[in-house]
Structure formats: C-alpha cells, structure tokens
Amino acid sequence: MTSKASEIVPLLQKHAPWAEENRRLHDEVIEAMADAGVFRIRKPKRYNGYEADTSTLVDVLSELGRGDGSAAWVATVYTIPGWMACMFPDEVQDEVFADPDTRICGTLSPSATATPTNGGVVVNGRWQFISGAHHSHWQQIIAILVPPDGEPQPVMALVPMSDLGIVDDWHTSGLRGTGSVSTVANEVFVPQERVLSLMAAVDGKPVSQRTAESRAYRIPLLPVAAASSSGCIVGLGKAAKQAFAERLPGRKITYTDYDSQRDAPLTHLQVAEASMKLDEAEFHVQRLATVVDTKGNEGTQWEMEERVLARADLGQAVRLVRESVDILATASGGTSIYSDVPIQRIARDIQAVHQHALMHPNTNAELYGRVLCGLPPNSQYV
C-alpha cells in the first residue's frame, strides 16, 4: 500500500495548486487515491478492505503528505469516521460499506441536537471543518441527544450526504485544498440503528461482534485518532525538506558574497536542525503507532496515562514538524513567497494543523502533564 501511495505523489503535487485555488481536491486526486487503495485502509476485510495496522496507515498517509498536505489531510479524516462506523451494528455497516471505496467525513464536535421520535431521532444543527465533504458518501455526525426524561448525552450517527446541506464557507490561509466546509441538518430523520452512544467509540467497544473480534477496532477512539492524524504531519515535514532541497542548487544569498546558498555555514546549520526536528517528530509518531498496534493486538486495557500520552505524542510531533518547516521556509529566501513555490503552501498547511483543537501541542502537553501530576484529565476526549 505504501508503494502505491508513493506512485501517486507526483499527481498530488501536480494538482496541489489547483486544489488550493478551488478549495477542494481535484477529482483525479480522489480517483488516484481510490485506485491506490487509500480509502480501504481501515475498511473491514469482510467488505474487501485492508483492515491495516496503524503503522501501515501512518506510512501511507506520510507518503500522501509528501505529495500534498490537503490530500493527506482528507485521507486522514476519512480513516477516522470510517473507523468509527465500524462500531455500529452489522446491518448498518452492510449499508454504509456497500460502495467499494466508501468515504465518510465527520467531526467530533457535538454542535447539533437529536430529538427522539418514533423509530429514531430527528437531527438539527451545523458542523464546521468537515474536510472532504464534497467527495463523501456519508457523514458521521455528533449530536446531543435530548431525551424526554434523563440527562442529555452525546451520540454519533451516520447520515448520507444527500440528507445534508453544504455551506461553502471554506476561505482559509492553510489546508485550503481540503474543502473543509460546513454541513447542515434541517429536520433530518436518522433511524435508530444508525444512532449510537459516542462512548462506544471513545472506549473502543463496538456493538458488532464481528468487529469486536478484530484487533483494529478494540482500541479507544482518541489514541486511534491521534495515531491516524500523525502520518500527514510527518509527510508535510518531508515535503518541506524535499522542496527546499530542490531549490537549493544555484540559489544565491542576496546581498552577500555567497554565490551559492549551499556553501554557507548558516545553511548547513539550518538544514541539520530542521532534519533533526523531523527525525524527532518521527520518533513520537512511530512510538504512538507502535503502542496503538501492540495494545490492539494484545487486547489489553488502556491506562489513563497511556491515553493522554497518545495526544501528547501527536502534539509534540506537530510542534517539531512546524518548527522544522519554519526553519526551511525562513531559509528559502524572498522568492519563496510566490504561489508556485511549494514551501509557502506547506508552511501554511502545517500552521493550520498546529491550530487544530485536538492537535495543538500546548493543549496536549498540558493534558499529559496534568495526569502525570496525579490529577484527572480535564477533557472527555482521551
């Protein structure tokens, strides 16, 4: 799978400017990723998916990130709601995974309400940052179920994209090609079998017995989401390193006596530091993937410290890759601000990732440190 992802990197690089301008992925990119099997990575084997382990997933998404951060981000997002869909009853999975390359977008934000009705719920609300919505078949939504009696609780549900409205509001500085628009539900009926407690995914406890027997789906949601997101990040770092190296030969340092930037000791220090930071980021990503796979294979209980460390590893990888990209972007000179020079887009993309609520290094580090200090986590997303 990794080799197939590598083969389509040139196509992703070719269409990255188009995606940036049009604020969505090119159809040829979606088709190429489908042909490469990207959308089957987390799909159960019984539906002709690969049910791949986390390390493989990280490697594939890292290669896609080397081609285009937006394409890798959309592929990443599809893997997480796709994994969550495997928590649902078998008859729901039969419907959702009927398409050979089912694409499911989604979010973890409960910005909608679900009102019980005969045979299911009626959903009203709006969700932001729905990456890949334009090319999705389904959306995994999060809503607050408000029962007639009892406490409100978060639920997740699977809704066909045809039942939702799309608001074209994705005007951003980074990850522009992801098409992360808002979606709207207006009196949308969802049958009861396609509604499930969010805790089923958070705790990694699928309703389907067939799913529960698989190593890939008996893991808590947040470690899965953290590990799934990390490959794209490393890929952006590799893309920056490659983009810098390709422009280095023949570049001068203006207003100095250096006819070649390659001869300057400053460049040597910058490249070394950026490379070492990228290596450190890969350590955190690989450690995270290994822990997720190992505990999934063993079926052992996740301790709270392990759960928050998953988010801390992700946050540290984001921090280090952003610092690495920033060094290389700073060293790329004034001509790097032109829109046809990839390094400027990569820098904006990693900054957008850095601002993501579940990926922000400071938030994740604080959460980890809090638990290390003997305090309970101050978030349900662990």
Side-chain angles (χ1 to χ4, degrees), residues 46-47 88-95 208-211:
R46 63 181 181 274
Y47 300 113
F88 285 80
D90 292 333
E91 62 269 22
V92 174
Q93 294 187 53
D94 291 343
E95 180 183 9
S208 164
Q209 184 59 42
R210 289 190 296 173
T211 298

Side-chain angles (χ1 to χ4, degrees), residues 354-371:
H354 184 276
Q355 298 304 98
H356 192 287
L358 285 175
M359 300 188 184
H360 201 287
N362 295 348
T363 302
N364 289 348
E366 179 193 342
L367 178 63
Y368 182 44
R370 179 183 175 87
V371 172

Side-chain angles (χ1 to χ4, degrees), residues 340-354:
D340 62 345
V341 179
I343 193 75
Q344 52 79 31
R345 183 182 67 251
I346 297 166
R348 288 184 284 107
D349 285 350
I350 191 61
Q351 175 62 20
V353 172
H354 184 276

Side-chain angles (χ1 to χ4, degrees), residues 87-107:
M87 303 292 107
F88 285 80
D90 292 333
E91 62 269 22
V92 174
Q93 294 187 53
D94 291 343
E95 180 183 9
V96 171
F97 292 120
D99 189 285
D101 291 295
T102 301
R103 295 183 289 276
I104 308 172
C105 58
T107 177

Side-chain angles (χ1 to χ4, degrees), residues 170-186:
W170 189 240
H171 301 279
T172 59
S173 59
L175 292 176
R176 288 173 53 85
T178 61
S180 302
V181 295
S182 294
T183 57
V184 179
N186 184 16

